[in-house]
Amino acid sequence: MKLPGRILGIALTLAGLTGAWFLQGVSFQTVSAPEPEGISVSTTAKPLQLYCQGPLAELGGKDGTDLGSMALVGKADVRYRLGVGSLVSEPESRVTQGVAIVMASREQTTGTLTAAQSQLIQRPRMAGLAATNCGQPQAEGWLLNGMAGSGFESILHVANPNPVEVQIELVFHLATSSNSHLITLAPFESQQLSLASFVEAEPSFAIYFQSSGQKVSMALQNRSSAGLSATGVELKGPTAKASKSLAIPGFQILAAGLAKPALRIFNPGPDAANALVTYLGSGTNSDVVEIEVPAAGFAEVSPELQVGDYLVLIESDAELMAELYNPYVAKNFDFAWLTPAEAFTGELAMVVPSFAAKIAIANPGAEEITVLLTLDTGAQAISVPARSQLQVRVTGQSLLLESQGEYFVNLILTDPKGYAVITPRENQNLGSNIQVLVR
C-alpha cells in the first residue's frame, strides 16, 4: 500500500526521533591499533673483505723521462691479524699488486680481522715510508689529501675486487670549480690514474667517488720533491666522514725543516662554516684558532706551535672534513697526512708493521678514561686524562686496545728513511641480527 506523502514524512520524522533517543543511551569508544612490535631476524653477514692496494706507482719511469708510463714498483709488506675463523685464501706477506683478504664470520670487528700494508722505498724520484690501513671497499667516499703544483704529484689507486664490472664517477672539487671523470673497471681489475690533468695544478683539492653499486677500493698516493731530491711519499685511503666534531691524535711538531705542517679543512655544504681548532699540547703550550671555511671550499692554515706532540680537535657549526699535512725530518725528508680518527669503545685490534712504532691514544671527553693495551709482551692499563692524549711505544706484530670510554687512535711509524701514520677503521658489514619494525 502506498502511503500519502504527508503520512510518510511524519513516519520518517518519528523514526529519526526514536533513533536519536535510542543513541543517547549508547556510548562509543575509539579502539586504537596496537603498537607495532619489532621482529628479530637472524641473518648471515656478508663475508668480511679488506683490500690492500699493493705497491706504490711510478709515473714516467725511474728517471722521469719515459713519458706516459705508469708502473707499480717494488713490493708492499702486508700484515694481518686474524681472530676466530679462517681466511678464504692466505695472502702473500710481500705483494706486487693489490690483494683482497676475505673471511666469513658472523661477528665482524677489527678483532675478527684487521690488516695494514707498508713500503719503504728509495728511488731517485721517490723516497720515504708509505703505510696505510687495509680497509673495507666502499660504494662512495672522499679523498682530501691531494697535492698538486710544482714539486708535488698525486696518483689515484682504484681497484674493483668484485666479480662484476663496475663504473666509478670521480668528482674533483677545486678551489674555484669542479669537474668529473668516469672510469670503468673489469672484474678484479685495478688502475692507477695520474691526476695532473684533472686538478689544474691547484694546491688543494678534494675527490668524491661513487660506484655504480659494487664497493670499490680507493687510495691516493702523493709524492714530493725539491729540485732533483725526493722529499717524501705516502699512500692514504678515504678520509673520515664529514662531522661537526673531529679529532686527530698523534700530531708532531718537529724541528724546522723543509716545509711547515698545514691543516686542510673542506666544507662540502652549501653555506659557509666556522671551525674552532684546538691544539692540545702534551707538556707544551696549547693554542686555539678560529677558521672560516667557505661553502663548497677549503681553508688551509699552518699552525704556529712549539716543538712537541699535539691532539687536534675541530669543532664546527656544520659538518666538515679535514686532513693534516705533517713533514718529517730525519736522515731523509718525508711526510704524512693525518686523518681524523674514528671513535672507538670496547675493543680495537691493529697490526704493527716492522718499524719503530708508537700508538697515540686520545681522549677528547670531559672525564678520564682507562685503556688496556695488550702487546705480545703483556698488558698495561693506561690512564688518559680528559681532553688529552698519550703516546706509548709498541712492539711486536699486533696490539689490542680495550676501554669502556670513548677513545681515538693513530699509529705512528718512524724510520731514519721515512715516516707514516696509520688510522684504523672498524671492519664490519651489516650485523648478523636485525630488528624489523612492521607497521
Side-chain angles (χ1 to χ4, degrees), residues 32 34 86 119 126 134 141 143 161 196 198 210 212 215 225 238 256-257 272 276 278 289 321 344 357 360 376 407-408:
S32 58
S86 60
Q119 185 178 7
M126 183 165 54
C134 298
L143 296 143
F198 300 101
Q210 184 174 32
S212 56
K215 295 182 178 180
S225 61
L276 190 67
T278 304
V289 180
M321 290 178 284
F344 285 91
D376 298 341
Y407 59 98
F408 299 74

Side-chain angles (χ1 to χ4, degrees), residues 47-48 86-90 101-104:
L48 178 58
S86 60
L87 299 179
V88 173
S89 61
E90 190 84 9
I101 306 176
V102 185
M103 74 171 299

